[in-house]
Amino acid sequence: MHQSMALSTATVICAISENDMIGICDSGVGGLTLLKDLHKRYPHTDIIYYGDEANMPYGDRSKEELKAIFAGIKAYFKARGCQDIVVACNTLCSAIDFNDDEIVIHDIIGKTIARLNVPKDKKVLVFATPFTIKSGRYQKGLEKRGYQSIGVALKSLAKDIEEGLPKQVVKAKLYQVFEMTDAKDIGAIILGCTHYPIYKDLFYEYYNVPVFDSLGLDFGIEDSDEKGEISLHMERSDKLERFLKRYIGVDYRYEDHLGK
Ligand code: DGL
């Protein structure tokens, strides 16, 4: 049985800015790694980050639940006047429909697969949430490009990162999975969850092959002229502040009723 699902009921209280605006979303802190990139790439565009911690982890949810969650997030971004949504979550990208008449919805999975530039004689090992692996999006996309792949679902890594588990504990849990995974002739790894790049070094250390992720992707969005601002639609907490300081390091403010 799934945990209950909180649909977005955020009331829009701020005036819509004149600047172009990008909405970026994930189940929690994972997509913040992409937020930093986006700000670097589009420094003159306002960016709103939607961290849906109330519904985290997405990786254990059903397709119907994920679609309903995204419908709420999309409505929120539309109400803010966003022109683009970057779906910084592989799990959502494996479940949702990207067509929309009013807003451009950017996928990260297709772009991450397109990045692979390693020889095709060895297999690609994909680590992602249970939903993403079950959806087969990476496996099918890689097959189209002529790569053989193995998908490995990591049941708790996103949540462990969210909860701030010490690195040594995360390492021990990950190594257990690595040792149990029957993976030979591996030529590359894909981190198919935006939480995982924080521990990219652990994957590299064990497998010693190139590790690909969704950081630094180009979405072909046009930058605007004014200085861009970053706002967070997330509940403020000491844990989040520490995380932002450590991994993000850009200026931001909190939005709506969530940012007290
Ligand atoms: N960071 C997300 C992803 O890329 C989701 C993790 C989760 O909530 O399970 O899939």
Side-chain angles (χ1 to χ4, degrees):
M1 191 58 203
H2 278 297
Q3 59 274 61
S4 67
M5 195 173 85
L7 283 178
S8 170
T9 52
T11 332
V12 179
I13 49 170
C14 296
I16 289 173
S17 143
E18 299 282 303
N19 264 9
D20 285 346
M21 226 189 285
I22 302 173
I24 165 168
C25 61
D26 185 34
S27 61
V29 297
L32 288 167
T33 51
L34 260 85
L35 170 75
K36 187 179 174 182
D37 281 347
L38 274 189
H39 182 60
K40 234 200 242 157
R41 203 175 270 277
Y42 311 112
H44 305 112
T45 303
D46 288 347
I47 302 176
I48 306 178
Y49 183 83
Y50 191 117
D52 188 14
E53 285 172 308
N55 290 313
M56 180 329 129
Y58 283 175
D60 299 336
R61 292 191 176 275
S62 67
K63 188 168 188 164
E64 290 65 39
E65 285 177 312
L66 293 166
K67 282 181 148 183
I69 286 171
F70 186 66
I73 296 174
K74 191 161 79 167
Y76 173 85
F77 284 142
K78 280 187 182 176
R80 305 318 296 254
C82 293
Q83 291 82 15
D84 294 83
I85 302 177
V86 171
V87 185
C89 173
N90 293 266
T91 310
L92 279 182
C93 286
S94 305
I96 62 166
D97 179 3
F98 289 87
N99 297 325
D100 193 284
D101 294 339
E102 296 163 34
I103 199 159
V104 185
I105 304 171
H106 298 273
D107 171 38
I108 56 170
I109 294 187
K111 283 189 185 298
T112 304
I113 293 172
R115 277 185 150 172
L116 247 75
N117 56 359
V118 291
K120 295 181 175 163
D121 56 338
K122 293 198 171 175
K123 290 181 199 138
V124 179
L125 191 53
V126 182
F127 290 98
T129 65
F131 186 90
T132 303
I133 294 300
K134 230 186 315 147
S135 79
R137 260 212 76 190
Y138 270 105
Q139 298 91 314
K140 284 177 216 148
L142 286 163
E143 198 184 327
K144 270 200 192 132
R145 285 207 53 206
Y147 286 104
Q148 269 188 287
S149 68
I150 301 172
V152 179
L154 294 176
K155 290 194 180 71
S156 67
L157 183 57
K159 200 148 200 300
D160 292 346
I161 290 171
E162 200 77 24
E163 285 170 1
L165 241 64
K167 188 169 182 179
Q168 281 316 311
V169 180
V170 172
K171 180 174 172 171
K173 287 176 86 171
L174 262 183
Y175 268 49
Q176 233 174 10
V177 176
F178 295 161
E179 275 149 27
M180 277 163 50
T181 303
D182 182 24
K184 289 180 195 76
D185 289 328
I186 300 302
I189 285 176
I190 291 183
L191 302 182
C193 171
T194 50
H195 281 74
Y196 303 172
I198 285 162
Y199 288 128
K200 190 171 181 166
D201 58 326
L202 296 179
F203 291 84
Y204 182 72
E205 192 179 279
Y206 188 91
Y207 288 99
N208 208 14
V209 295
V211 181
F212 294 86
D213 58 33
S214 312
L215 302 193
L217 291 174
D218 183 1
F219 297 98
I221 298 169
E222 212 177 302
D223 201 13
S224 354
D225 305 325
E226 306 290 326
K227 185 180 179 297
E229 287 196 336
I230 294 180
S231 29
L232 304 179
H233 178 82
M234 285 181 100
E235 193 98 42
R236 188 185 291 210
S237 69
D238 290 349
K239 195 187 74 191
L240 177 61
E241 290 289 330
R242 272 200 305 276
F243 188 92
L244 287 161
K245 225 178 245 134
R246 180 147 181 215
Y247 296 106
I248 312 304
V250 289
D251 289 338
Y252 53 86
R253 64 186 174 86
Y254 287 90
E255 283 267 302
D256 295 340
H257 61 287
L258 289 176
K260 287 161 202 107

